[in-house]
Amino acid sequence: MSAYVIVEFTVKDPGIYREKYAPIAGQTAHEHGGEVIAAGKWEVLHGDGSLSSGVLVRFTDRDTALGWYNSPEYQQLIDVRSIAMDVRFSLLDGLPAPTPTDEKKESK
């Protein structure tokens, strides 16, 4: 079952973010099977809007997502990340894919 890493952030230092964090973080996620499926400024519909941008990264499963986040390649970016941005990371499990049996039940 897929897992999604949701990154909510506000850039504090655009130069460091652009040059020292974002390209390397993206590369490490890709190397661990991550696929960025959405990125950009949030349109906050309700609630705290203090973190202005976001990225949604899909991984094949929870263990792979955690493996990326805890990898030495990504963890070496934590100090740079702290300078570059205010950020919150969350992990969300995807829903199981419907089976052919489920699809037949829905069509009745």
Side-chain angles (χ1 to χ4, degrees):
M1 175 174 11
S2 293
Y4 299 87
V5 172
I6 302 152
V7 184
E8 301 170 90
F9 64 95
T10 297
V11 173
K12 297 188 295 188
D13 187 319
I16 291 177
Y17 173 79
R18 194 173 38 255
E19 296 167 19
K20 296 184 178 182
Y21 177 77
I24 300 166
Q27 179 182 345
T28 64
H30 180 74
E31 289 170 354
H32 284 83
E35 176 189 7
V36 174
I37 58 174
K41 298 266 186 199
W42 293 117
E43 179 176 344
V44 177
L45 301 177
H46 176 78
D48 180 8
S50 63
L51 299 171
S52 60
S53 298
V55 176
L56 180 61
V57 185
R58 178 174 44 216
F59 289 88
T60 55
D61 55 46
R62 171 180 275 273
D63 289 340
T64 303
L66 289 170
W68 162 70
Y69 187 82
N70 293 314
S71 71
E73 300 85 10
Y74 183 73
Q75 287 295 305
Q76 73 180 356
L77 296 174
I78 299 299
D79 290 340
V80 171
R81 182 183 79 188
S82 301
I83 296 166
M85 60 207 284
D86 290 326
V87 64
R88 175 178 42 233
F89 279 73
S90 301
L91 179 61
L92 185 65
D93 290 325
L95 297 174
T99 65
T101 305
D102 293 337
E103 292 172 1
K104 287 180 185 176
K105 289 178 187 175
E106 289 178 9
S107 66
K108 290 185 178 182

